[in-house]
Amino acid sequence: MSKVKVGVVGFGTIGERIADGLAAQEDMELVGVCDVAVSLPVKALIVSGKGYPLYCGTPDKVKDLEAGGATVAGTLDDLLKQVDMVCDATAPGVGAKLKEQYEAHGVKATFQGGEKIGTGDLQFHSLANYDKAYGKDYLHILSCNTTGMARCINSIDRAIGVERVNAMIIRRAADVAETHKGPVDAAIVQKVPSHQCEDIMAVSPHIKALSVVVTLPITHGHVQTLQVHCKQDTSKEQILEIFGQNPRLQIFRIEDGFLSNSHIFDYCRDLGLPRADMYECPVWDEMIHVEGREVWFTQMIPQESIVIPENVDGVRAAMKMQDDYADAIAETNKYLKMGGKV
Amino acid sequence: MSKVKVGVVGFGTIGERIADGLAAQEDMELVGVCDVAVSLPVKALIVSGKGYPLYCGTPDKVKDLEAGGATVAGTLDDLLKQVDMVCDATAPGVGAKLKEQYEAHGVKATFQGGEKIGTGDLQFHSLANYDKAYGKDYLHILSCNTTGMARCINSIDRAIGVERVNAMIIRRAADVAETHKGPVDAAIVQKVPSHQCEDIMAVSPHIKALSVVVTLPITHGHVQTLQVHCKQDTSKEQILEIFGQNPRLQIFRIEDGFLSNSHIFDYCRDLGLPRADMYECPVWDEMIHVEGREVWFTQMIPQESIVIPENVDGVRAAMKMQDDYADAIAETNKYLKMGGKV
Amino acid sequence: MSKVKVGVVGFGTIGERIADGLAAQEDMELVGVCDVAVSLPVKALIVSGKGYPLYCGTPDKVKDLEAGGATVAGTLDDLLKQVDMVCDATAPGVGAKLKEQYEAHGVKATFQGGEKIGTGDLQFHSLANYDKAYGKDYLHILSCNTTGMARCINSIDRAIGVERVNAMIIRRAADVAETHKGPVDAAIVQKVPSHQCEDIMAVSPHIKALSVVVTLPITHGHVQTLQVHCKQDTSKEQILEIFGQNPRLQIFRIEDGFLSNSHIFDYCRDLGLPRADMYECPVWDEMIHVEGREVWFTQMIPQESIVIPENVDGVRAAMKMQDDYADAIAETNKYLKMGGKV
Amino acid sequence: MSKVKVGVVGFGTIGERIADGLAAQEDMELVGVCDVAVSLPVKALIVSGKGYPLYCGTPDKVKDLEAGGATVAGTLDDLLKQVDMVCDATAPGVGAKLKEQYEAHGVKATFQGGEKIGTGDLQFHSLANYDKAYGKDYLHILSCNTTGMARCINSIDRAIGVERVNAMIIRRAADVAETHKGPVDAAIVQKVPSHQCEDIMAVSPHIKALSVVVTLPITHGHVQTLQVHCKQDTSKEQILEIFGQNPRLQIFRIEDGFLSNSHIFDYCRDLGLPRADMYECPVWDEMIHVEGREVWFTQMIPQESIVIPENVDGVRAAMKMQDDYADAIAETNKYLKMGGKV
């Protein structure tokens, strides 16, 4: 079987990670990546010798890329001529504009969570609505926080049924190099409900959700506390079993020394993971609490890397690579070597 | 009527604020405050010329205090001979030891939230169990977070009944000058449930509670999101009305520019409040959300000053100054000029 | 003698503090303050009942101010008709535009450090070039960091002569409520030299200066380490004596517990200072180091309040209130109750 | 030639990195590493399958290590029987105690900067005093900040001569997972001079040095501004050339987007460097400033990894592997693939 040909448009924090994730899929071929300037991720691509062909978003920027030391393989149009599908990881608003260009080339696309609702044919999470996305052209991947929510909620939902979710989200203020973003010493509040619960209800219409978001001065991951109201009584043991069966979730114990999100990040450095990234969501064992049908748990969302598996799944769904969600997810997981971090 | 004679033992972040709170009560007389070293709060007491007589915890430390520029009015024993009651704000564990000394002098006391459970005759919150504390000798004041929870929970409980509370607490890592405490860039987790829900159930045994705590690198107040399950359906309007009737809660609007806990702290600076302290808990209007019997809201806990009113209430209860909780609270509020910040 | 009539244009972090500083001067009359929206400082002005008449920058904004609860005394033009001079504390670039309006009314002005160079007739620091500013119309006050540098450099210069200064500035990233400004966890660098040394050389042309600035995630003051090359050998004792004679500098000892800028901020809260502001620059005793003609010392710059005295001095210079710099400074100091914090 | 047999005692943040550094040296054999508990670095060693034999510091802890999933190769004594030399990276004070055990086995050692002065035969930096360390038994490696200083100072010294150094050090408060360390929002000061200048003068007695340290809430590297007084006039071009010849220094440009220490850390993640570690010190191009014989520059100190090359050099010196410092350094550099990051 011939490989599905893919590209990545926008080579920033998310785009560079999607590129690595796609490159690892043995049934896909990463034809190239595309950007318009020698940002630090592009510079690192050049220096690291990773070798992804670099395309330039617009012809007038080719000179800039070359001045920055890049070898330019062509323009975005050149890339679009060669691929079946792209993962668009451009800045919010840009993807919506580029969609026309993708359409002109008959190229499918995933868009990221920051893109405006309506850009894709539907909002997508592989565990929630893979079947609805199957064969579609434009998939809107959930944002990082919502992706993490969907993973565990839908794991429980598929096992014992979920009626309701309340999420309290501690949002990391900035990625490591986003030094222009604050706060320095504050908890920034926002109107309730936040968008995350809307997005959950978009991919899982039978689940009612509410989310509250407060932004805090940390960089190594969001931290969510979720309260899930199940359709039946459950137990911590059962929840651990359900989570244990999803390799995109990983149980960490405070007792082992995982005292914070930053401990987990630092542990990933020691594990030798590229960029110290995890594709999994860490869930703290000692923070799982069950009373009858109510389940509480707290998980970390590695905001830079968490949506990579779901972008890959999106390619599988749109390109009809696997009929069944479970097969698609298993395939993605296999190539990303998910699970087994602790 | 003669004034109730009170003292403060331990003149740190909490003790210095209790002293100011007691000094403002026209039906109490602050006989003196007590510490063992010229810490910065004691230095500020000396330099500011505020004039509270300073007693020394142990005779051997008198020399140290004097060397630091203090005029020493006597020892703790001297203070205890003159007072009816003290508010103990010493470091955790110290109050439990000093209790014997208080008993020897027949002096009643409040202890702070950090003191070990069992030091007081009971855990106390004026809105929850004033009647049980009435005439008792040793009252254990709730911690700052739990005090904030009790204020709003019991306000709702007295109005329409509360069955259950779930609290997600963003704990500030350190006070402004606690520079030895981290984290720098992390969200520190802990076992669920945390102690706060136990404490709520101790003062309001008919309410079931659960609390989750995560510690973040901020200094200007904890931020709690509470989910309250009421005994009957309610509405945002009714909740606003209930909160509006408790001068220890204050509604702030994000729309007015109160975007974070630090905005509120800075606003208190501009208001000219001593130390930029608020005795009230700010509740954000746009974060109140009601669905049937479920109420969500988010409040800030000014951790340094919030327990002052309840300590004063504790004196009123133990000393039988007012028979009724509402009268006691109203009296405390009046002298502390509670309410009217926005 | 009739009082000099002054106003403040721009009632933000700096403007509200200048207003308080001017209001405290018994030989000046604060006619009013001016802004265009009910920001938190304006809201605090309204709620606090401080009573400064509030003028509206442009007629079309009057409605907004009134909707926010303000009583509007008139427009900026109305204010300018009544005053001799204003302190302009508007956002960078706005003052340069308003200058024309000030000129039309024959009103003198100070501009703040963020305003573009050239807006004033000269850059001004009272200890450096009061005589040159005497009677001038438009004075450009130095920025907060440079003001702090000028105070100590010129104190030494007037006593024993200074040839050269090297400054290493740890810049606080944001004020307390500037939650949109980062970084969260980074030291942001910039080109050397930074603007501060240029500004020092502008007010003291005979001193050569170099400055390096790194921005860090703190809010309670900049921290500068200065190396001053004097014209003659000196000693720590002499430097302490020189600094001791300038009430705008205050010596703090690490040994006393002043371990950080935040300890000093918190101490000011305990002292009961409005907004916990200091007008003085704290210099750490144990960080003064002298070798021959070289002096090193480290001082904190309370960025919100430090330029208030120099703005008041600027009014004295422009309005020819005192002939001599020392008299002008002494008068300002007296009304601001400078010195005596430790 | 047979390989020199080495071990690492203390497998924490530094020890695990030294182990990797030694393992990369083709003329050394890493016999094993040693610790006493399954800390996160040890857990990562187990999970990652890196395969360094793990020895247990004391026989009574073997059970703990095994309970934590480790395969224990023996005790520290067993390790010491097999090695020529160890790099001791235990907590401060522990190495001084273990030295007796090392001596009993005739095993040489390096000790880290945090160990008390006097534990080694001398303080060591390969560029400063390799010849004095040649053949010695116990070498005290400089601390991370001082190592960074020594690299650039001695590079300049060997080229054009250095007389004097003044260092202003912004110390990172904590490593990523040191969440117990503060401050949250403060600049912590300390007595001048700090220890770093003493250490520089210990390895380079002909250079006079002064250092000032302030601790800030950042985690991704210290940032030092150094002023070097050379023996002759120089230029930015010459300094760039001198630094360019030392592969342990790397020039980064702000203009390229390296706006902060965290940008460089994040770039190292993108480069795919293990743990995002750099062995080099980044020096910012736009922060190099030269006036006659005075040179200013600002460099970042990656505190976790920077001393690894010098520990390896220490083995080379003590074990007489290379006669000349330059050959030793070149050999270490080759195996660590130093240079070429930008």
Side-chain angles (χ1 to χ4, degrees):
Chain A
M1 199 188 90
S2 75
K3 294 184 181 189
V4 168
K5 290 176 195 298
V6 291
V8 173
V9 184
F11 198 75
T13 297
I14 301 298
E16 62 179 350
R17 286 166 167 85
I18 296 178
D20 289 352
L22 293 173
Q25 307 297 311
E26 296 184 8
D27 51 359
M28 301 184 189
E29 180 194 340
L30 178 64
V31 176
V33 301
C34 178
D35 211 302
V36 293
V38 180
S39 61
L40 292 187
V42 171
K43 188 175 184 61
L45 175 65
I46 298 167
V47 173
S48 69
K50 212 174 246 180
Y52 305 151
L54 177 64
Y55 290 79
C56 187
T58 56
D60 59 311
K61 300 285 186 184
V62 171
K63 230 185 298 181
D64 293 357
L65 284 179
E66 289 176 343
T71 304
V72 179
T75 65
L76 174 55
D77 276 319
D78 296 327
L79 175 62
L80 293 176
K81 279 175 197 155
Q82 307 170 63
V83 296
D84 304 305
M85 184 161 182
V86 293
C87 292
D88 178 293
T90 56
V94 177
K97 285 179 196 158
L98 292 177
K99 187 182 174 186
E100 208 167 310
Q101 205 169 341
Y102 302 156
E103 286 173 327
H105 285 274
V107 168
K108 299 185 178 207
T110 61
F111 295 100
Q112 305 310 308
E115 197 50 76
K116 64 182 165 197
I117 303 299
T119 305
D121 299 327
L122 77 168
Q123 287 183 275
F124 169 73
H125 189 269
S126 37
L127 210 50
N129 62 355
Y130 184 90
D131 54 331
K132 287 191 183 146
Y134 190 77
K136 285 283 190 311
D137 290 338
Y138 297 105
L139 305 185
H140 196 150
I141 306 296
L142 295 182
S143 70
C144 49
N145 260 310
T146 321
T147 294
M149 289 169 69
R151 282 188 190 172
C152 49
I153 293 169
N154 285 285
S155 292
I156 301 176
D157 188 40
R158 289 189 176 273
I160 59 172
V162 166
E163 289 179 349
R164 165 92 199 195
V165 178
N166 300 316
M168 170 64 217
I169 300 172
I170 294 172
R171 196 172 154 273
R172 70 86 190 84
D175 292 339
V176 167
E178 291 181 321
T179 55
H180 58 292
K181 290 192 184 172
V184 169
D185 174 6
I188 302 176
V189 294
Q190 63 180 74
K191 197 174 181 324
V192 172
S194 62
H195 79 84
Q196 284 83 2
C197 58
E198 309 286 343
D199 299 345
I200 285 295
M201 292 187 286
V203 299
S204 299
H206 64 289
I207 297 177
K208 201 157 164 31
L210 181 71
S211 54
V212 178
V213 173
V214 182
T215 301
L216 275 299
I218 54 174
T219 67
H220 302 303
H222 310 294
V223 176
Q224 307 175 334
T225 296
L226 271 69
Q227 174 188 5
V228 176
H229 185 77
C230 304
K231 284 197 176 146
Q232 47 182 273
D233 279 8
T234 181
S235 65
K236 178 170 172 180
E237 290 64 38
Q238 189 178 29
I239 295 299
L240 277 170
E241 196 191 329
I242 292 169
F243 286 175
Q245 284 163 0
N246 184 348
R248 294 191 182 176
L249 302 174
Q250 279 263 304
I251 305 296
F252 284 78
R253 297 176 70 197
I254 297 174
E255 196 186 29
D256 285 344
F258 296 105
L259 310 181
S260 75
N261 60 333
S262 296
H263 282 82
I264 293 176
F265 174 77
D266 206 41
Y267 176 75
C268 290
R269 295 172 72 193
D270 284 348
L271 279 188
L273 300 176
R275 292 190 186 91
D277 277 353
M278 276 187 79
Y279 295 126
E280 301 88 354
C281 291
V283 179
W284 279 280
D285 183 298
E286 294 96 331
M287 301 184 84
I288 301 174
H289 178 83
V290 179
E291 297 182 23
R293 294 158 66 174
E294 301 287 341
V295 180
W296 284 264
F297 60 93
T298 300
Q299 69 177 345
M300 168 181 166
I301 307 297
Q303 80 276 357
E304 301 154 310
S305 50
I306 193 180
V307 298
I308 310 315
E310 277 77 359
N311 269 278
V312 177
D313 295 344
V315 174
R316 299 188 177 282
M319 297 304 300
K320 298 188 180 182
M321 294 175 70
Q322 283 81 24
D323 296 347
D324 184 67
Y325 81 96
D327 295 340
I329 290 175
E331 209 67 9
T332 301
N333 289 354
K334 181 180 67 182
Y335 295 126
L336 294 181
K337 299 186 171 52
M338 308 267 302
K341 298 295 183 294
V342 275
Chain B
M1 198 186 94
S2 74
K3 294 184 178 187
V4 167
K5 290 176 194 299
V6 292
V8 172
V9 183
F11 199 76
T13 297
I14 301 297
E16 62 179 350
R17 286 167 167 83
I18 296 178
D20 289 352
L22 293 172
Q25 308 295 313
E26 295 184 7
D27 51 358
M28 300 183 189
E29 180 194 341
L30 178 64
V31 176
V33 302
C34 178
D35 212 300
V36 294
V38 180
S39 61
L40 291 187
V42 171
K43 189 175 183 60
L45 176 64
I46 297 168
V47 172
S48 69
K50 213 173 245 180
Y52 305 152
L54 177 64
Y55 291 80
C56 187
T58 56
D60 60 310
K61 300 286 187 184
V62 171
K63 232 184 297 181
D64 291 358
L65 284 180
E66 289 177 343
T71 304
V72 179
T75 64
L76 175 53
D77 276 319
D78 296 328
L79 176 61
L80 294 176
K81 280 175 197 155
Q82 305 170 63
V83 296
D84 303 307
M85 184 160 182
V86 294
C87 293
D88 178 294
T90 56
V94 177
K97 284 179 195 158
L98 291 177
K99 188 184 174 185
E100 207 167 310
Q101 204 169 341
Y102 301 156
E103 286 174 327
H105 284 275
V107 167
K108 300 187 176 204
T110 60
F111 295 100
Q112 305 311 308
E115 198 49 74
K116 64 182 165 198
I117 302 299
T119 306
D121 300 328
L122 78 168
Q123 287 183 276
F124 170 72
H125 189 269
S126 36
L127 210 49
N129 62 354
Y130 185 90
D131 53 331
K132 286 189 184 148
Y134 190 76
K136 286 283 192 310
D137 291 338
Y138 297 104
L139 305 185
H140 197 149
I141 305 297
L142 294 182
S143 70
C144 50
N145 260 310
T146 322
T147 293
M149 290 169 68
R151 282 188 189 172
C152 50
I153 294 170
N154 286 285
S155 292
I156 301 176
D157 187 41
R158 287 188 176 275
I160 59 172
V162 166
E163 287 180 350
R164 165 91 199 194
V165 178
N166 300 316
M168 171 64 216
I169 300 173
I170 294 170
R171 196 172 154 273
R172 70 86 191 83
D175 292 338
V176 168
E178 291 181 319
T179 54
H180 57 291
K181 291 192 184 172
V184 169
D185 174 5
I188 303 176
V189 294
Q190 64 180 73
K191 196 174 181 325
V192 172
S194 62
H195 79 83
Q196 285 82 1
C197 58
E198 310 286 344
D199 299 346
I200 284 295
M201 293 188 283
V203 298
S204 299
H206 64 289
I207 298 175
K208 203 158 164 29
L210 182 71
S211 55
V212 178
V213 173
V214 182
T215 300
L216 275 299
I218 54 172
T219 67
H220 302 302
H222 311 295
V223 175
Q224 307 176 335
T225 296
L226 272 68
Q227 175 188 5
V228 176
H229 185 77
C230 303
K231 284 197 175 146
Q232 46 181 274
D233 280 7
T234 181
S235 65
K236 180 170 171 180
E237 289 64 38
Q238 188 178 29
I239 295 298
L240 277 171
E241 195 191 329
I242 291 170
F243 287 176
Q245 283 163 0
N246 183 348
R248 295 191 180 175
L249 302 173
Q250 280 263 301
I251 305 296
F252 285 77
R253 298 176 69 195
I254 296 174
E255 197 187 29
D256 285 344
F258 297 105
L259 310 180
S260 75
N261 60 333
S262 296
H263 282 80
I264 293 177
F265 174 76
D266 206 40
Y267 176 75
C268 289
R269 296 173 73 193
D270 284 349
L271 279 187
L273 299 177
R275 293 190 186 90
D277 278 352
M278 277 188 79
Y279 295 127
E280 300 88 355
C281 290
V283 180
W284 279 280
D285 182 298
E286 294 96 333
M287 301 184 84
I288 301 173
H289 178 83
V290 179
E291 297 182 22
R293 294 159 66 174
E294 301 287 341
V295 180
W296 284 263
F297 60 92
T298 300
Q299 69 177 346
M300 167 183 167
I301 307 295
Q303 79 276 357
E304 301 154 310
S305 50
I306 193 181
V307 299
I308 310 314
E310 276 76 359
N311 269 278
V312 177
D313 295 344
V315 174
R316 297 187 178 282
M319 297 304 300
K320 299 188 180 182
M321 294 176 71
Q322 282 81 26
D323 295 347
D324 185 66
Y325 81 96
D327 295 340
I329 290 174
E331 208 67 8
T332 301
N333 288 355
K334 181 180 66 182
Y335 296 126
L336 294 181
K337 299 185 172 54
M338 308 267 303
K341 298 295 181 294
V342 274
Chain C
M1 198 187 93
S2 74
K3 295 184 177 187
V4 167
K5 290 176 196 298
V6 291
V8 172
V9 184
F11 198 75
T13 297
I14 301 297
E16 61 179 352
R17 286 166 168 84
I18 296 178
D20 289 352
L22 293 172
Q25 307 296 312
E26 295 185 9
D27 51 359
M28 299 184 189
E29 180 193 340
L30 178 65
V31 176
V33 301
C34 178
D35 211 301
V36 294
V38 180
S39 61
L40 292 187
V42 172
K43 188 175 184 60
L45 176 64
I46 297 168
V47 172
S48 69
K50 213 173 245 179
Y52 304 154
L54 177 64
Y55 290 79
C56 187
T58 56
D60 59 310
K61 298 286 186 183
V62 171
K63 231 185 298 182
D64 293 358
L65 284 180
E66 289 177 343
T71 303
V72 179
T75 63
L76 175 54
D77 275 320
D78 296 328
L79 175 62
L80 293 176
K81 280 175 198 157
Q82 308 169 62
V83 296
D84 303 307
M85 183 160 183
V86 294
C87 293
D88 179 293
T90 56
V94 176
K97 285 179 196 158
L98 291 178
K99 188 182 174 185
E100 207 168 310
Q101 204 168 342
Y102 302 156
E103 287 173 327
H105 285 274
V107 167
K108 299 187 177 206
T110 61
F111 296 100
Q112 305 310 308
E115 197 50 74
K116 64 181 165 199
I117 302 298
T119 305
D121 299 329
L122 77 168
Q123 286 184 275
F124 169 72
H125 189 269
S126 35
L127 210 50
N129 61 354
Y130 184 90
D131 53 333
K132 287 190 182 146
Y134 190 77
K136 285 283 192 311
D137 290 339
Y138 298 104
L139 305 185
H140 197 151
I141 305 297
L142 295 182
S143 71
C144 49
N145 260 310
T146 322
T147 294
M149 290 169 69
R151 283 189 189 171
C152 50
I153 294 169
N154 286 286
S155 292
I156 301 175
D157 187 41
R158 288 189 176 273
I160 59 172
V162 165
E163 289 179 350
R164 165 93 199 192
V165 178
N166 300 317
M168 170 64 214
I169 299 172
I170 294 172
R171 195 173 155 273
R172 70 85 190 85
D175 292 339
V176 168
E178 291 181 319
T179 55
H180 57 291
K181 291 192 184 172
V184 168
D185 174 5
I188 302 176
V189 295
Q190 63 180 74
K191 197 174 181 323
V192 173
S194 63
H195 78 86
Q196 284 82 2
C197 58
E198 310 286 343
D199 300 345
I200 284 295
M201 294 187 284
V203 298
S204 299
H206 63 289
I207 298 176
K208 204 160 163 27
L210 182 71
S211 54
V212 178
V213 172
V214 182
T215 300
L216 276 298
I218 54 173
T219 67
H220 303 302
H222 310 294
V223 176
Q224 306 176 335
T225 296
L226 272 68
Q227 175 188 6
V228 176
H229 186 77
C230 304
K231 285 197 176 147
Q232 46 181 275
D233 280 8
T234 181
S235 65
K236 178 168 171 181
E237 289 64 37
Q238 188 177 30
I239 295 298
L240 277 170
E241 195 191 329
I242 291 169
F243 286 176
Q245 283 163 1
N246 184 348
R248 294 191 182 176
L249 302 173
Q250 280 263 303
I251 305 296
F252 285 77
R253 298 176 69 195
I254 297 175
E255 195 187 30
D256 286 344
F258 296 106
L259 310 180
S260 75
N261 59 334
S262 296
H263 282 81
I264 293 176
F265 174 76
D266 206 41
Y267 176 74
C268 290
R269 296 174 72 195
D270 284 350
L271 280 186
L273 299 176
R275 292 189 187 91
D277 278 352
M278 276 187 80
Y279 294 127
E280 301 88 354
C281 291
V283 179
W284 279 280
D285 182 298
E286 293 95 332
M287 301 184 83
I288 301 173
H289 178 84
V290 179
E291 297 181 21
R293 295 159 66 174
E294 300 288 341
V295 180
W296 284 264
F297 59 92
T298 300
Q299 68 177 346
M300 167 182 166
I301 307 297
Q303 79 277 357
E304 302 154 310
S305 50
I306 193 180
V307 298
I308 309 315
E310 276 77 359
N311 269 280
V312 176
D313 295 345
V315 174
R316 297 186 179 283
M319 298 302 301
K320 300 188 180 182
M321 294 175 71
Q322 282 82 26
D323 294 347
D324 185 66
Y325 81 95
D327 296 339
I329 290 175
E331 208 65 9
T332 302
N333 288 355
K334 181 179 68 182
Y335 295 126
L336 294 182
K337 300 185 170 54
M338 308 264 306
K341 299 294 182 293
V342 276
Chain D
M1 197 188 91
S2 74
K3 294 183 180 189
V4 168
K5 291 177 195 298
V6 291
V8 172
V9 184
F11 199 75
T13 297
I14 300 298
E16 61 180 349
R17 286 167 167 82
I18 296 178
D20 289 352
L22 293 172
Q25 307 297 313
E26 296 184 8
D27 50 359
M28 300 185 190
E29 180 195 341
L30 178 64
V31 176
V33 300
C34 178
D35 211 302
V36 294
V38 180
S39 61
L40 292 187
V42 171
K43 188 175 184 62
L45 176 64
I46 298 168
V47 173
S48 69
K50 212 173 247 181
Y52 304 153
L54 177 64
Y55 290 79
C56 187
T58 56
D60 59 310
K61 299 287 187 182
V62 171
K63 229 185 297 181
D64 292 357
L65 284 180
E66 289 178 342
T71 304
V72 179
T75 64
L76 175 54
D77 276 319
D78 297 328
L79 176 61
L80 294 176
K81 281 176 195 154
Q82 306 170 63
V83 296
D84 303 307
M85 184 161 182
V86 294
C87 293
D88 179 294
T90 56
V94 176
K97 284 179 195 158
L98 291 177
K99 188 183 173 186
E100 208 168 309
Q101 204 169 342
Y102 302 156
E103 287 173 327
H105 284 274
V107 167
K108 300 186 177 206
T110 61
F111 296 100
Q112 305 310 308
E115 197 51 75
K116 63 182 165 197
I117 303 298
T119 305
D121 299 328
L122 78 167
Q123 287 183 275
F124 170 73
H125 189 269
S126 35
L127 210 50
N129 62 355
Y130 184 90
D131 53 332
K132 287 190 184 146
Y134 190 75
K136 285 284 191 310
D137 291 338
Y138 297 105
L139 305 185
H140 196 150
I141 305 297
L142 295 182
S143 70
C144 49
N145 260 310
T146 322
T147 294
M149 289 169 68
R151 283 188 189 171
C152 49
I153 293 170
N154 285 286
S155 292
I156 301 176
D157 187 42
R158 288 187 175 275
I160 59 171
V162 167
E163 288 179 349
R164 164 90 198 195
V165 178
N166 300 317
M168 170 63 215
I169 301 173
I170 294 172
R171 195 173 155 271
R172 70 84 190 86
D175 292 338
V176 168
E178 292 181 320
T179 54
H180 57 292
K181 291 191 183 172
V184 169
D185 173 6
I188 302 176
V189 294
Q190 63 181 74
K191 197 174 181 323
V192 172
S194 63
H195 78 84
Q196 284 82 3
C197 58
E198 310 285 345
D199 299 346
I200 285 296
M201 293 187 284
V203 298
S204 299
H206 64 290
I207 298 176
K208 203 159 162 31
L210 181 71
S211 54
V212 177
V213 173
V214 181
T215 300
L216 275 299
I218 54 172
T219 67
H220 302 303
H222 311 295
V223 175
Q224 307 176 334
T225 296
L226 272 68
Q227 175 188 4
V228 176
H229 186 77
C230 304
K231 285 196 176 148
Q232 47 182 273
D233 280 7
T234 181
S235 64
K236 179 169 170 179
E237 291 62 39
Q238 189 178 28
I239 296 298
L240 277 171
E241 194 191 330
I242 292 169
F243 287 175
Q245 284 163 0
N246 184 347
R248 295 191 181 176
L249 302 174
Q250 279 265 303
I251 305 295
F252 284 78
R253 298 177 69 197
I254 297 175
E255 195 187 29
D256 285 345
F258 297 105
L259 310 180
S260 74
N261 59 334
S262 296
H263 282 82
I264 293 176
F265 174 77
D266 207 41
Y267 176 74
C268 289
R269 295 173 72 193
D270 284 349
L271 279 187
L273 300 176
R275 293 190 187 91
D277 278 353
M278 277 188 80
Y279 295 127
E280 300 88 353
C281 290
V283 179
W284 279 280
D285 182 298
E286 293 96 332
M287 301 184 84
I288 301 173
H289 178 83
V290 178
E291 296 182 24
R293 293 159 67 174
E294 301 287 340
V295 181
W296 284 263
F297 59 92
T298 300
Q299 69 177 346
M300 168 183 166
I301 308 296
Q303 80 275 358
E304 301 155 309
S305 51
I306 192 181
V307 298
I308 309 314
E310 276 76 359
N311 268 278
V312 176
D313 294 345
V315 173
R316 299 188 177 282
M319 298 302 301
K320 299 186 178 183
M321 293 176 72
Q322 282 81 26
D323 295 347
D324 185 64
Y325 81 95
D327 296 340
I329 290 174
E331 207 67 10
T332 301
N333 289 354
K334 180 180 67 182
Y335 295 126
L336 294 182
K337 300 184 171 52
M338 307 266 305
K341 299 296 183 293
V342 275

